[in-house]
Structures are given as structure tokens and as C-alpha cells.
Amino acid sequence: MTATEAAPGQAPAGIALGSERPAGHASPTAAAGQLFAGRALRTSGKVLPEHARSHNRSLVLQTLYTLGAQSRADIARETGLTRVTISDLVAELIGEGLVVELGQREDARPGKPATLIDIDRTGHHVVALDLSEHTRFRGAVLDLDGATVARAEVALDGATGERAVELVTELLDGLLALTTSPVLGIGVGSPGVVGPDGVVRSAPNLGWTDLPLQERLQAAFHLPVHVANDANVAVLAEHAGAPGDLVLVKVGHGVGAGLIIGGRPVLGAGSAAGEIGHVVVGTDGGPRCACGKHGCLEAWLAVPRLTAELERLGDADAAASAREETLREAGRRLGIVLAPVVGALNLSEVVLSGPTELLDGPLLEAAVETVRNRTMTEHHRELRLRMTAHGQDIVLRGAAVMVLSGQLGVS
Amino acid sequence: MTATEAAPGQAPAGIALGSERPAGHASPTAAAGQLFAGRALRTSGKVLPEHARSHNRSLVLQTLYTLGAQSRADIARETGLTRVTISDLVAELIGEGLVVELGQREDARPGKPATLIDIDRTGHHVVALDLSEHTRFRGAVLDLDGATVARAEVALDGATGERAVELVTELLDGLLALTTSPVLGIGVGSPGVVGPDGVVRSAPNLGWTDLPLQERLQAAFHLPVHVANDANVAVLAEHAGAPGDLVLVKVGHGVGAGLIIGGRPVLGAGSAAGEIGHVVVGTDGGPRCACGKHGCLEAWLAVPRLTAELERLGDADAAASAREETLREAGRRLGIVLAPVVGALNLSEVVLSGPTELLDGPLLEAAVETVRNRTMTEHHRELRLRMTAHGQDIVLRGAAVMVLSGQLGVS
DNA sequence: TCACGTTTGTTAGTAGACCTTACGAACAAA
DNA sequence: TTTGTTCGTAAGGTCTACTAACAAACGTGA
């Protein structure tokens, strides 16, 4: 069996064949259940027994990924498949180098000692890119544990269009040179509207329109590439196996959101789901926004606007309450926009990502309070609104999760 | 093969065995892909080849359901499965009585004439109930084409609690007596919060709390029963195979919504998705609501409030513009609540259900305009906001779709 | 110490699901 | 009548996961 069999019944879009890469860069088989293009077992369309196997293969990987090293018998008990089937699947995965035997379990129990196996976590790397910042592109090499192996970045210096694409490939070149293990794939979080096929429909700041970034990077690097919107990518980092619905609001130069509902990312009719930055807040006007409207969420909440306002107030003690009120007001505005969404989706968790010094404090408190006051509290008693724990690296980590999901079916 | 094999790998919740029903009431096998409990091929959990077959079985039914009578070869081409496999599946379905041969196709083409087959559309009935009205329970017997075979209703007369349950069973008794074909199942759209297991968590108007309605009706009638929230059921009627996302807003005594995202209904963390009636609209107060807050969507938009307001204004010509402004204002308020949801989900379609004379006109126009003005128009150029075409029967028809989806995997 | 039970992982054989290949039947067009 | 097409079915092969059985390796208790 070769290691580069595309999923049958579907065009093998997005699966590069890696044969032209230097040794050590393998492309494992595409597995069912990836988070973006291809969706988990397409709602319609035929399902063959081999799809079932692909699903079960991912199930084994997922079990190992979340539970850590296990014996074959453990996995059988966990998944409900038989030991025989698990042995067969594991043999396949070991053959592909994705899984390794770790030796015998050491604790003293009756019976034959178990052979522990696990995903070769440090033996594979993922390359992740965050293109969402305004002044630089950031990137990192991660192993499957999420540990950062290497970092790199390039200054943008106002580059746009084709020049910006060049910077992406340069950054990737540098990162790939830093990898010391086979690379499972490349994950990219891009600003703007990104189609499910990794085409950047529109990213004004980078001057990109209908740029087939995923396809081009795939052609250039001969590795599986996944490109998606930065906020949609970020929410994957936060999702991390939690089964419930989740919304992540990413506050930066703009304001965007990523949604996971029913365990699957929401893309929207025009691939523009989560673009809440230019939704008007409230019925009492508000600051003028770059888009021409008044009182857009971005006009209240975007980082440049908040920092400018705080700077204007100065850092004198006398202005402390005015500064706090500025943040509270921004939080209230966020809450006003979130309330209908929380109500309509009956969300249990909303996560905020962005500069901690601005968001984590009065702003967050005001947002929680506002959402509570504006929705039917009894349905949202368990609503949690909190800061992300991933900090600045959330897009990078999410991009890595996207690759894991796409290549291994692990999410 | 028996006709009552529950889906393996999962408790056969919600699949009654029909054996105690009088002849003519069969329960076909549970199929994959139903819309509520059981979800389309559970995200996690093992998948066996027999699940694949169940899926393909549903695929055949779905193809017939949406395309109408077809030959086996047509279905093979449409689904991508081979003629052999389709023949096998069809033989199974014919054996169960779900599908019938209609004789040869009549048009003149070279080759052996095709034998047309179709779901036995008039040979099966579905019983649907709408419990969402305030003064009565409505019900109907439908065939698989959606044609109404019979109708019935009972006056509520303020009945609550156990007495209301009795009225439901009486209504069902009457409707089942009117069926003249095997009944596939019973679908119920109930007001209030309904769990995925058909337990009515809370329906204040009926005085129901944690009422296991689905289970009780199943026990009473020995037929598959599906119970869900009325708005969540209504959106199924509107969905009807359209692959995109969809939100239905149901305006009546209260205001509720049903959401379908990625082809699947959204239930929410507390099964309360779509409960937008008590989301506060705008930042300028508003009418006091029964819930205690000011400016809830229901306080603006609910039918009793609107009719009362219009009555207060009188039907004199002089008050015409005031009446229109009342409706426009209600529409604007709806638009204000919808805008963040439309933006966050990048919706392409929102459907309104309720009294046409109130909703279809200035109210709808104002809502469209408001949503457009408050979101980023370029992403929502194709947004359609329209009245349902199902009229008053939308919950009944949706309840029928729910049964079809649950029993046949057809949606 | 040694039989015994327990647990692990593998081997062998079976049932199910879909595929490819092949074929007869039935028709239109030449 | 011949030729080509299309339909549905039959036979045989491959793949998947299952059951049954077993050897290996370990504690435990007599």
C-alpha cells in the first residue's frame, strides 16, 4: 500500500503527493472527518466500506491523540471496535510511520503486559502561518503535541499583492528548513474572506482578490496545504475536542469571529461567516466607521480605536475612571451584538482573543453583564464568556489543528 | 430480514416496534441521516460497513423522494453506486413495501425499456401535530407527497398539564382512525424548549415541565414518534432539500426561530436554540415585556401586541400611515435582531412565518432594509428575506418532514 | 513451585457490502 | 434482419469487520 492514496469517490483536492519533497517529508493518507473542505462524511453522496475504514482509522488516531499512549486493547474498549480490527488499523498506521510502539506498559497487572502505542508526536511537524497581523507575517513549526519547535516572521513593510505572496513563500521556505521531522502539512490563517477551497476571495489589507493561495502553495511546496480565515482558524485552537458549540471573537485591527456549531466550523453562504466587524450596534448612532456607516462594532471595539481613545484620555490617575468607562462601553457594545447570536444559537461558550490589557477586565465584565441582561437568562445560565488561553499564538495553533484535522481526521 | 432492525451501535431510542398496532401500520428500519436525535453518522464513534449500507439505502430513498419516479439505472447514475448495488438496495426496499414498481417507462428510447420505481407515496401516511397555537391543537394525516389526507383539531379550552396530554392522545386517536395506509410515524411540533430526546423541558403555556412526551406517545401508540420545538420543526418544512443555511422566524403569540446550518438543525447547548423572543432590541428602551425587561423582540413583534396596537389606532383612513408605521417599526426591530445573526452566520436566506396580513408588507420591507443597512452589504447581496409559502400548515408539514427524515433518512 | 485465571495480541475463518465482468432481454434505427 | 444501446441480473472477487480460538506472558493462591 502506498502512503498517498487519495480519498476515493472524491477529487483528491488539496492532497499533494509529496514525492518531490526531500526525504523526510511524507504525506499521509487523507482521512475522513476533516474540518473544512470535504466536510465530515459528506451529508449526501454514497458511502463505501472503505470510507468506513477511513473513519475508523481517524477514530484510532483521535483516541490516541486525546487520551495519549494506549494499548491496542485499550483502544478497542474505547472505540467499541474489536481488538482484531484495531490491530489491523494500527498495523497500517505503524506502516505509514504515523504511530509507533513505545514498549510494554510497566504497571503490575495480571495478564500479558500491554504494548503501548502512540502517535509519533515528536516525529512529525506541522508548519503554521498567521497572516492576520498588520505589520508582519508570523509562522512556526509545531510538533503534534503543540510544542513549538521553531519560529520565524517577516516584516510586511506595506507589501501587498504578489509581493505579499512572495513573503509568504519566503517565510515558508525558512520554516521548512527548520523542520527536523516529516511535515504533515501547512496551515495558514489569512485575513479576509477565504473560500472552502483555500481561495482568498478578498483581503483588502493585503490587496488580494480571488487569490488561490492554497493551490499555489501546494504547487510550490508539494505538501498538503490548508488555508482559511484567521478567526475561523483561531476557533479551532480553542475547540480542541470540546463537543459543544463555540464562538471565538478575535479583536485586533478589525473584529472577526469564528464559529463552531455541532462540532463543525460554520462557513456561511458566501464564506463570510463571522464577519461581524461591520454590524451596526444599537440604535443610538456611534463613531463613524471606515466603511461609512455609524456605530459598527469595529468602530467601537477595534484595537486602534481603543488605544487611540485611551491615549487621548492620558494615563493620569484622574482619567482612570474615564479610561475604564471607555472599555466598559466597548464591552457593552460587544455584548449588544453578541446577545442575538447567543440567543439564536443558545451558545454555551464565547471566547475572546486579542490584547489582554484591553479586553480582560472591565471590557469583558461589561460584555458578560450586557449579554446576560439582554437575553433570557434562564437559558444561558451556563454561558461562559472568557479570554482565550492561547494568547497571541491562537491562529498559529489553530492552523496546526486544521492540518491535523485535515490530514489525520484528528480534531 | 425483519422490518424492525434498530440502528446498531446505538440505543434504538425512538424506534417503536409497531407489532402491537393493527395490520397496516408498519415501522420501517431506522435509517442513517435523520435530522434530530442520532444525527447524520455521528461525528465520533465507530462506523461499520452496515452503517454504510444504511446510508446508501437512505440515499436511494432521498433520490427518489426529490427526483420522483426513476429507473434503477437512473438512480445508479445519480448516486454513483453501481446498477448492481442499486438493484440490491431497491429489492430490499420493495420487500419492505417502501418502494413500488410502476411499470415500464413509456418514452421511446433505444435499449431495453426502464422499469420505473418510486417510493410508495400514497401508500404510506404520516401523522403530524401542531401544538403551538394558543387555543387549539391541530393535526393532520399526510401522505409522502405532502398531500393532506385528513385533518382534525381539538379545542384547548385552557387545558394544561396532564389534561393537555390527554387532548394530544385523543387527537392522535382520531387521526390514526382516519389513516388508510401504514403509518410511518408521528411528528409533533410543541411549543417551549424540547430536548433532543423529545422531552418537553418547559412549555409554560401548557404547564409542561420535563414531560417525556415522545416516550409517552410511543408507549401509547406503538409507532415511531418525533417531538421537537415548533419553530425548529417549521424550518424543516422550509428546508426541503435546499442545501444552504436557513433561519425561519415564527411570529405568533410569541416569537421563535428555527435554524438549519450546514444542513443540520441547530439545537443549542440547552436545547433552546432559536429562542430569540426575549432578546432585547436596540439601545433605546421599548415596550415593557411580560418577562420584565424592556424592548424584547416579542414586545415589539408578537401578534397580540401588533393587533392590539393596530386596533387602538382604528381602521380609519386617517390612521393608515400610523398603522403602517407601527408595522414598519416592528420590521425594523426584527431587522435589528437579525442583523448580528445574519452577519455572524453569513446567512443567505431568512424566512418569516406568521399572519400574512401583518408580516407581508411594510413589516417585511422594513426588516429587509434594516438588515441590509446594518450589515456589510457586499457579503449579503444574495440575502433573501421572504414569507414562507407553507402558510398556516408549516408546523404540520415540518413535523411530517421530521418523521420522513427520522424513518427514511429523507430530508 | 505450579496450576489457574487474566489479559494481550494474533491467526483463521465467516458474513456483509460493494465492485467488476459478463450476459440475456428488449428496444430503435439502419 | 442486423446492429447498437440500455436495462436489469448473475457470478465472482475484494475489502471490512466480526467471531472463535489460541499462544504468550503475567499475577495469584494453594
Side-chain angles (χ1 to χ4, degrees):
Chain A
M1 150 169 294
T2 77
T4 50
E5 227 173 63
Q10 184 146 10
I15 310 295
L17 295 188
S19 54
E20 293 175 68
R21 285 300 304 173
H25 289 87
S27 294
T29 65
Q34 62 253 41
L35 285 178
F36 283 105
R39 291 288 178 77
L41 286 183
R42 356 207 294 270
T43 306
S44 113
K46 63 179 174 181
V47 172
L48 304 176
E50 60 214 80
H51 293 114
R53 184 170 177 89
S54 172
H55 179 105
N56 289 335
R57 209 187 92 109
S58 292
L59 188 59
V60 170
L61 287 171
Q62 185 123 18
T63 305
L64 286 174
Y65 189 73
T66 54
L67 269 55
Q70 302 276 309
S71 74
R72 293 171 174 84
D74 291 333
I75 300 174
R77 276 185 293 266
E78 182 68 24
T79 60
L81 293 162
T82 62
R83 292 201 306 272
V84 180
T85 303
I86 295 298
S87 277
D88 193 37
L89 288 168
V90 166
E92 182 182 312
L93 292 169
I94 289 178
E96 292 171 22
L98 280 174
V99 165
V100 288
E101 289 197 338
L102 300 179
Q104 296 193 344
R105 179 182 273 145
E106 290 186 356
D107 59 350
R109 291 196 297 186
K112 177 179 170 179
T115 311
L116 289 179
I117 55 176
D118 196 4
I119 298 176
D120 190 359
R121 298 173 116 94
T122 56
H124 293 92
H125 287 164
V126 171
V127 177
L129 255 51
D130 177 1
L131 313 183
S132 70
E133 292 189 28
H134 255 56
T135 57
R136 56 177 181 170
F137 288 161
R138 298 203 308 137
V141 177
L142 307 167
D143 67 17
L144 303 196
D145 265 334
T148 306
V149 176
R151 289 177 178 277
E153 59 176 74
V154 291
L156 209 43
D157 287 333
T160 61
E162 202 55 33
R163 176 63 193 138
V165 177
E166 278 171 31
L167 288 177
V168 171
T169 59
E170 284 172 25
L171 182 54
L172 279 176
D173 270 325
L175 285 166
L176 284 169
L178 294 171
T179 61
T180 54
S181 293
V183 175
L184 283 181
I186 299 170
V188 181
S190 163
V193 176
V194 183
D197 46 1
V199 174
V200 181
R201 296 274 163 76
S202 139
N205 291 326
L206 294 172
W208 287 347
T209 307
D210 292 326
L211 174 74
L213 187 60
Q214 180 170 307
E215 193 183 315
R216 287 188 54 181
L217 295 178
Q218 214 144 238
F221 294 99
H222 304 290
L223 280 171
V225 179
H226 300 260
V227 179
N229 170 272
D230 56 343
N232 291 344
V233 162
V235 72
L236 295 182
E238 204 65 42
H239 183 49
D245 304 338
L246 178 63
V247 168
L248 179 129
V249 178
K250 188 164 175 288
V251 181
H253 202 273
V255 177
L259 293 83
I260 289 182
I261 296 178
R264 298 197 309 199
V266 179
L267 297 177
S271 301
E275 296 289 323
I276 56 171
H278 295 282
V279 170
V280 177
V281 188
T283 47
D284 54 355
R288 186 181 172 83
C289 178
C291 74
K293 298 197 293 289
H294 282 267
C296 287
L297 183 58
E298 260 185 42
W300 288 104
L301 196 60
V303 169
R305 187 262 169 182
L306 282 181
T307 49
E309 185 72 16
L310 293 181
E311 222 161 79
R312 195 181 62 77
L313 292 170
D315 55 357
D317 283 355
S321 71
R323 290 198 304 274
E324 183 174 326
E325 179 51 26
T326 297
L327 295 173
R328 290 208 102 82
E329 181 64 17
R332 276 195 290 271
R333 296 292 163 167
L334 174 60
I336 291 170
V337 167
L338 284 181
V341 179
V342 168
L345 299 176
N346 187 216
L347 290 171
S348 60
E349 196 163 24
V350 177
V351 179
L352 229 58
S353 160
T356 314
E357 67 275 15
L358 294 176
L359 304 180
D360 197 6
L363 195 154
L364 189 62
E365 286 165 22
V368 175
E369 194 185 347
T370 306
V371 171
R372 289 247 161 82
N373 286 341
R374 295 175 73 93
T375 56
M376 213 170 175
T377 325
E378 59 200 88
H379 295 148
H380 303 101
R381 203 155 288 166
E382 334 105 52
L383 172 69
R384 284 186 302 172
L385 181 49
R386 60 174 174 85
M387 288 296 297
T388 175
H390 292 283
Q392 291 252 304
D393 286 347
I394 187 166
V395 174
L396 291 177
R397 307 189 82 83
V401 171
M402 178 167 60
V403 172
L404 257 51
S405 163
Q407 299 311 116
L408 308 182
V410 167
S411 67
Chain B
M1 157 170 290
T2 75
T4 51
E5 227 175 66
Q10 186 145 9
I15 311 295
L17 295 189
S19 54
E20 292 174 67
R21 285 301 300 174
H25 290 87
S27 293
T29 66
Q34 61 255 41
L35 285 177
F36 283 104
R39 291 288 177 78
L41 286 182
R42 358 208 294 269
T43 306
S44 115
K46 63 178 173 181
V47 171
L48 304 176
E50 59 213 82
H51 293 112
R53 183 166 178 90
S54 172
H55 179 103
N56 290 335
R57 208 186 93 109
S58 292
L59 188 59
V60 170
L61 288 171
Q62 185 124 15
T63 304
L64 286 174
Y65 188 74
T66 55
L67 269 55
Q70 303 275 309
S71 74
R72 292 171 174 84
D74 291 333
I75 301 174
R77 276 185 293 267
E78 180 69 24
T79 59
L81 293 163
T82 61
R83 291 202 305 272
V84 180
T85 303
I86 296 297
S87 277
D88 192 37
L89 289 167
V90 166
E92 183 182 311
L93 292 169
I94 288 179
E96 292 172 22
L98 280 174
V99 165
V100 288
E101 290 197 339
L102 301 179
Q104 295 192 345
R105 178 182 272 145
E106 290 185 356
D107 59 349
R109 290 195 298 185
K112 177 179 172 180
T115 311
L116 289 179
I117 54 176
D118 196 3
I119 298 176
D120 190 359
R121 298 174 115 93
T122 55
H124 293 92
H125 286 164
V126 171
V127 177
L129 255 51
D130 177 0
L131 312 183
S132 69
E133 292 189 29
H134 253 57
T135 57
R136 54 176 182 172
F137 288 160
R138 297 205 307 138
V141 177
L142 306 167
D143 68 16
L144 302 196
D145 264 334
T148 307
V149 176
R151 288 178 178 278
E153 60 176 72
V154 292
L156 209 44
D157 288 331
T160 61
E162 202 55 32
R163 175 65 193 136
V165 177
E166 279 171 32
L167 288 177
V168 170
T169 59
E170 284 171 25
L171 182 54
L172 279 175
D173 270 325
L175 285 166
L176 285 169
L178 294 172
T179 61
T180 54
S181 293
V183 174
L184 283 180
I186 299 170
V188 181
S190 164
V193 176
V194 183
D197 46 359
V199 173
V200 181
R201 296 275 163 74
S202 136
N205 291 325
L206 294 172
W208 288 347
T209 306
D210 292 327
L211 173 73
L213 187 59
Q214 179 170 307
E215 194 183 314
R216 287 188 52 180
L217 295 179
Q218 213 144 239
F221 294 98
H222 305 291
L223 280 170
V225 178
H226 300 262
V227 179
N229 170 272
D230 56 342
N232 290 345
V233 161
V235 73
L236 296 181
E238 205 65 41
H239 182 49
D245 304 338
L246 178 62
V247 168
L248 180 129
V249 179
K250 188 163 176 290
V251 181
H253 203 272
V255 177
L259 294 85
I260 290 182
I261 296 179
R264 298 197 308 198
V266 179
L267 297 177
S271 301
E275 296 288 325
I276 56 172
H278 295 283
V279 170
V280 176
V281 188
T283 47
D284 54 355
R288 184 181 173 83
C289 178
C291 74
K293 299 197 293 288
H294 282 267
C296 288
L297 183 58
E298 264 188 37
W300 289 103
L301 195 61
V303 170
R305 189 261 169 183
L306 282 181
T307 51
E309 186 72 17
L310 293 180
E311 222 162 81
R312 195 180 62 77
L313 293 169
D315 55 358
D317 285 353
S321 72
R323 289 198 304 272
E324 183 175 326
E325 178 52 26
T326 297
L327 294 173
R328 288 207 104 83
E329 181 65 17
R332 278 195 289 272
R333 295 294 162 166
L334 174 59
I336 292 171
V337 168
L338 284 180
V341 179
V342 168
L345 299 176
N346 187 216
L347 289 171
S348 60
E349 197 162 21
V350 177
V351 179
L352 228 58
S353 160
T356 314
E357 68 275 15
L358 293 176
L359 304 179
D360 196 6
L363 195 155
L364 189 61
E365 287 165 23
V368 176
E369 194 185 347
T370 306
V371 171
R372 289 245 161 83
N373 286 341
R374 295 175 73 93
T375 55
M376 213 173 179
T377 325
E378 58 200 272
H379 294 148
H380 302 101
R381 203 154 288 165
E382 334 105 55
L383 173 67
R384 285 187 300 172
L385 182 50
R386 60 174 175 84
M387 288 296 297
T388 175
H390 291 283
Q392 291 251 304
D393 285 347
I394 188 166
V395 173
L396 290 177
R397 305 189 83 84
V401 170
M402 177 167 61
V403 172
L404 257 51
S405 162
Q407 300 309 117
L408 308 182
V410 167
S411 65

